[in-house]
């Protein structure tokens, strides 16, 4: 499978939001509105080696001292968990309010 950088507009498979790219050199790997992502990486962020392609459900948000906010995901298809760094314009507060039971 060829490497396809996500630098163009894409449509979120969960909420249907049209998502604009972040800019040169940074690829966006999740929807800023509902935070859902897609299971495309196998061993690390951006490797695009997974053939799962299930939807990644955001289950929690962590704050790490070096990276800032990190979104914790669980794949709805295979159950694998992974972590992605949050983008600056992610709707983290909305997510935290909706999941206030875990924060
Ligand atoms: Zn979305
Ligand atoms: Zn998966």
């Amino acid at each position: 499978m060829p490497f396809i950088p996500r630098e163009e507009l894409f449509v979120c498979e969960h909420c249907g939001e049209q998502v604009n790219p972040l800019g040169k050199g940074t690829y966006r790997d999740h929807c800023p509105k509902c935070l859902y992502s897609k299971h495309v990486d196998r061993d690390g962020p951006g490797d695009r080696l997974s053939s799962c392609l299930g939807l990644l459900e955001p289950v929690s948000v962590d704050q790490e001292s070096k990276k800032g906010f990190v979104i914790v995901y669980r794949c709805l298809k295979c159950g694998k968990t992974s972590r992605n760094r949050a983008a600056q314009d992610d709707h983290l507060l909305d997510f935290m309010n909706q999941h206030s039971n875990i924060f």
Side-chain angles (χ1 to χ4, degrees), residues 39 50 52-54 56 75 77-80:
H39 191 182
S50 176
C52 174
L53 304 183
L56 291 178
C75 180
K77 198 168 158 190
C78 72
K80 186 181 173 180

Side-chain angles (χ1 to χ4, degrees), residues 11-17 19 30-36:
V11 176
C12 173
E13 289 181 29
H14 179 70
C15 71
E17 177 83 352
V19 182
H30 57 271
C31 172
K33 196 176 168 195
C34 68
L35 306 184
Y36 272 69

Side-chain angles (χ1 to χ4, degrees), residues 80-96:
K80 186 181 173 180
T81 55
S82 58
R83 301 163 75 85
N84 273 335
R85 204 148 63 109
Q88 284 189 340
D89 58 352
D90 282 349
H91 294 205
L92 288 177
L93 280 177
D94 289 351
F95 177 81
M96 290 179 188

